[in-house]
Amino acid sequence: MPWRGPSEEGEFPTLGYDVGEWIEAHVVVPDGYQMGKPFLLTDEMWRYLIKRYRLYPHAQPWPAPDALTYFGSQLRRVQKWGKDPLGAAMILANALGPSRFDGWNADGEPVGAPYPTPLIVCLGTSEDQTDNTWRPLLSMVRNGPLIDMSALDVGETRIVLPGGGKVEPVTTSARARLGAPMTHVTITESHLFTLQGGFRKVAGAVKRNVAGMDGTWDELTNGWDPTEASEAQVTAESADPRILIDTIEPNRVEDLEDAEAVYAELLRQYGDSARERGGWVNVRGRMLHEVQSKRHMEADRRRFFLNEIVVGVNVFVDPIRWDLAAREIMLAPGDKIALGFDGSRKLDATALIACRLEDGALFQLGVWEKPDGLADWRVPSADVDRRVRDVFAAYDVALLFADPYRWQDYLDSWSAAFPQRVVEFATNVEQRMDKAIERWSTAFGENQIVHDGSESLTKHCKQAVLVKGSKKKPRPGEEQQISTHYLKLAKRGDGLLIDAAVAAVLAYHARGQAIEDGYLTAGPTSLAGRLYGRADDD
C-alpha cells in the first residue's frame, strides 16, 4: 500500500525519524566531557534528517526507481555547530541503519532497512580533512554499542561491515579508489574542493559514480569564497530540485565591533548548539571573541563564524584608523632607520619608505608615479638611485629590504656601497612575504604604527587589500580551517597603486629584524654576515 497521507498540513513521508532514532540508540558522543554518552540530536539536526530522508508518496522499494526525494544534500553551518559529528553519525546510519526505503507497513508508514553491501566513503582533499569526520566516526563505534556487533571489523583506515560492505576515508589523491562502486559519499569541507588542484573535478566524478549506483551523497561545508568556484558554491547555485540545501542564511553584521549585533547573529547561526540553548558552543565568550579578534582575516571570520559568502580579502589598513595614526613628525639627521623599497620601471610606481627604529614611525622618502596624461613614462631610475644614496648619507640606516624585480643592477650597486645593509626581499615569495605582512598586521591592529601622513603612502595603503595565496600548513594549535593560506598584498581594483604600501611593510619588517639583531644597542657590526643568509632562508 502507498503512504497513508498527511495527518497535518505540510507533512510528508520520510525515513528521517527512523534514521534519527537509530542514531540516538546506537551512536555515542565521540569526544569531550560527554564522550561515550548517547548522541542526542538537536532539534535542528532532527529537522535536517527529516528533510534529508524525505520520500516520494508513491515510492516503491528496490528495484523500482529511487524513492528518496533528495539524492544529495548540502549542510552549510558555522564552525563547531556539529557538522562533522552529525556527518559521522549519518555515515554509520547509511552503513548499518534503516537508511534504505523498504516499502510501506500495514499502517501506510515507511519502512527502512540497511543497504545489503554498502561501500561508503568519507572524502576530503587531505587526510587532515577526512579526519574531521573519520576520527569522530571511529570513536562513535569503539566507545558505543556498535563495537559489540558481530562481524564488524574496525581498523584505523577502514571498517568492514557484516555482509562484506565497507566504510573508509579517502582523499582526492587516491584516484584509483575513487572509481569503486560507492553507495554513499560524505564530502567533508566541500568549500575547499576548488578548481585549483583539480579537487572539483574529483568531486564531480565521485558524484557521477554514486549516481551510477543509485546512491546518495552529502556535503558538509562552511561558507565559501565566491572567487574560488568551489564544489560547495556550484552545488548551492545549481537550483537542482533533488539536492537539499540546508543552511541559515546570514543577516550581515556591518560592524564587527558591535558586540551585541555580532552576538545576536552568532546565537542565530549556532542555534541549538549554543550553550545558552543547552548546546556545547560558548557563543557569548569564545565565539564572540573570535569574530572580533583581528588575528584572522575579516573574510574568514565572517565565513566560518557568521556563515557569510564573502570574497577572501581583507582591508590592508582600516582607513579611519590609518588617518588617526598620522602625526606631524619628521626624521632628524642621524636617526636610526630601516628602509623598504618596491620598484617598477613604468607600469607601477616605485617607493622608498623609512621606518624609524626607535618608535616604528613611517616616513615617505620617495614615491615616483606616472603623471596624469603622460602615456610614455618611465621611472627616473637615476633620481631613485640618488635618493637612496642621499638617505644612507643622511641617516643611520640599519637595513634596506628591497624587492629586486627589475632593479637587480641597482641593488648590486647599493650592496657594494653599503655592505651588509642591503637585503634582497622578493615579495613574490609567499612564505617570506606572509611573515612580513603578519608582523605589520599585528602591529597595526595594536595601534603600534604611526606615520607622517604623506599623501602617496596614505593613498597606496588604502588601495591595498590582503588576499589569500597558496595553501600552507597550519602552525601547532592553529585551527585547521582558519589561516590556511599565505597572505598577499593586492590592489583593490585595476589601475590602483600599492607600491608604497608594499615598501612600508618591508620597512617595518626590516626594522623588526634589525632590532632583533641588536642594532639599537650594538650598531651595524652586530648584523655583519647574518642578515643576507636569514632573508634567503625564510
Side-chain angles (χ1 to χ4, degrees):
M1 64 179 299
W3 181 47
R4 56 171 168 74
S7 58
E8 60 184 46
E9 186 177 356
E11 186 184 13
F12 51 81
T14 178
L15 291 176
Y17 295 107
D18 290 350
V19 171
E21 289 171 0
W22 186 91
I23 288 174
E24 291 195 338
H26 295 86
V27 177
V28 297
V29 177
D31 50 31
Y33 295 110
Q34 302 295 316
M35 181 176 179
K37 294 185 177 181
F39 187 87
L40 301 179
L41 300 166
T42 67
D43 288 347
E44 287 181 300
M45 292 176 179
W46 270 111
R47 287 192 289 271
Y48 167 66
L49 288 179
I50 290 168
K51 290 184 292 184
R52 176 67 187 88
Y53 290 95
R54 181 172 182 167
L55 297 164
Y56 289 116
H58 299 287
Q60 296 296 317
W62 189 89
D66 52 348
L68 290 173
T69 302
Y70 303 111
F71 58 72
S73 81
Q74 180 183 98
L75 181 63
R76 177 180 133 218
R77 285 294 193 279
V78 288
Q79 192 171 337
K80 304 307 178 188
W81 177 88
K83 298 186 298 297
D84 289 310
L86 177 59
M90 290 175 64
I91 288 175
L92 294 174
N94 277 279
L96 300 164
S99 61
R100 180 178 63 89
F101 178 65
D102 200 35
W104 309 94
N105 65 17
D107 297 323
E109 298 287 355
V111 176
Y115 195 91
T117 54
L119 175 56
I120 300 175
V121 165
C122 174
L123 179 65
T125 61
S126 66
E127 290 185 7
D128 287 341
Q129 249 189 280
T130 57
D131 277 353
N132 290 338
T133 304
W134 182 251
R135 290 302 168 190
L137 186 150
L138 287 181
S139 178
M140 288 171 169
V141 175
R142 290 169 172 167
N143 297 302
L146 291 175
I147 196 64
D148 297 325
M149 181 178 292
S150 60
L152 189 68
D153 183 3
V154 183
E156 286 296 318
T157 59
R158 55 94 182 104
I159 297 175
V160 178
L161 305 170
K166 186 166 64 172
V167 183
E168 61 179 342
V170 176
T171 68
T172 51
S173 61
R175 302 298 172 96
R177 293 165 68 191
L178 294 175
M182 305 173 195
T183 59
H184 179 77
V185 173
T186 294
I187 302 178
T188 303
E189 296 182 15
S190 59
H191 62 278
L192 297 180
F193 281 72
T194 60
L195 286 172
Q196 185 178 6
F199 298 137
R200 219 180 80 194
K201 181 181 291 186
V202 172
V206 168
K207 288 179 178 180
R208 291 191 297 272
N209 185 339
V210 171
M213 295 299 297
D214 200 15
T216 56
W217 52 263
D218 297 315
E219 291 183 16
L220 310 175
T221 187
N222 296 112
W224 52 84
D225 180 340
T227 66
E228 294 179 339
S230 66
E231 185 69 14
Q233 180 178 356
V234 171
T235 299
E237 295 178 353
S238 67
D240 191 323
R242 299 207 58 192
I243 299 175
L244 172 65
I245 305 298
D246 192 290
T247 189
I248 299 175
E249 291 297 340
N251 293 331
R252 181 176 172 84
V253 179
E254 293 298 334
D255 183 7
L256 296 188
E257 298 294 331
D258 186 342
E260 289 309 309
V262 171
Y263 173 67
E265 181 60 15
L266 283 171
L267 198 59
R268 180 172 169 270
Q269 289 294 332
Y270 279 94
D272 297 332
S273 63
R275 191 169 296 173
E276 291 88 335
R277 296 173 179 170
W280 52 90
V281 180
N282 182 4
V283 174
R284 170 67 79 176
R286 186 59 182 271
M287 292 300 104
L288 178 59
H289 172 79
E290 290 296 320
V291 172
Q292 295 191 302
S293 171
K294 293 181 175 59
R295 292 181 295 116
H296 311 304
M297 292 176 64
E298 180 178 335
D300 283 349
R301 288 178 275 148
R302 289 186 176 276
R303 288 172 55 212
F304 291 109
F305 299 117
L306 296 175
N307 202 24
E308 295 184 21
I309 307 299
V310 291
V311 175
V313 302
N314 198 8
V315 294
F316 174 59
V317 295
D318 179 281
I320 296 176
R321 294 180 65 190
W322 175 264
D323 291 342
L324 290 174
R327 302 286 188 271
E328 293 185 2
I329 50 178
M330 295 181 63
L331 282 173
D335 275 354
K336 287 183 169 64
I337 63 172
L339 298 174
F341 176 82
D342 186 50
S344 177
R345 284 303 191 187
K346 58 180 180 179
L347 296 179
D348 290 318
T350 290
L352 180 66
I353 304 296
C355 183
R356 190 158 54 196
L357 266 60
E358 181 182 9
D359 57 2
L362 295 167
F363 301 86
Q364 177 180 308
L365 301 184
V367 175
W368 293 265
E369 301 178 10
K370 183 175 72 172
D372 292 337
L374 189 61
D376 188 14
W377 178 84
R378 294 179 67 87
V379 173
S381 54
D383 291 349
V384 175
D385 178 53
R386 189 179 306 110
R387 182 68 54 83
V388 170
R389 294 176 184 275
D390 288 346
V391 168
F392 269 88
Y395 308 106
D396 185 355
V397 179
L399 280 174
L400 164 62
F401 276 3
D403 187 347
Y405 182 65
R406 295 187 182 278
W407 285 81
Q408 187 63 63
D409 290 345
Y410 282 96
L411 260 65
D412 291 342
S413 176
W414 297 338
S415 296
F418 314 110
Q420 299 163 347
R421 289 189 284 172
V422 177
V423 179
E424 292 184 11
F425 199 103
T427 57
N428 62 352
V429 178
E430 291 185 326
Q431 182 179 6
R432 185 182 304 173
M433 194 61 184
D434 180 80
K435 293 179 180 179
I437 292 173
E438 182 180 13
R439 187 194 292 269
W440 168 281
S441 298
T442 299
F444 189 78
E446 296 175 355
N447 299 316
Q448 295 178 1
I449 291 180
V450 296
H451 59 90
D452 62 0
S454 51
E455 181 179 354
S456 292
L457 177 59
T458 293
K459 179 178 67 175
H460 288 209
C461 285
K462 291 182 179 181
Q463 290 176 170
V465 293
L466 297 176
V467 300
K468 292 189 298 186
S470 59
K471 195 170 183 179
K472 65 177 180 179
K473 292 183 179 180
R475 297 174 182 177
E478 187 175 51
E479 292 282 2
Q480 294 288 329
Q481 296 90 342
I482 297 180
S483 298
T484 56
H485 294 76
Y486 293 114
L487 292 182
K488 303 193 299 183
L489 272 175
K491 301 173 182 179
R492 188 184 296 276
D494 292 340
L496 301 180
L497 299 174
I498 63 169
D499 306 87
V502 174
V505 170
L506 297 185
Y508 197 81
H509 197 45
R511 179 230 181 199
Q513 187 159 321
I515 291 175
E516 290 172 8
D517 285 293
Y519 193 93
L520 276 176
T521 56
T525 56
S526 66
L527 305 177
R530 292 192 287 163
L531 288 171
Y532 224 103
R534 178 177 301 184
D536 287 340
D537 291 340
D538 277 348

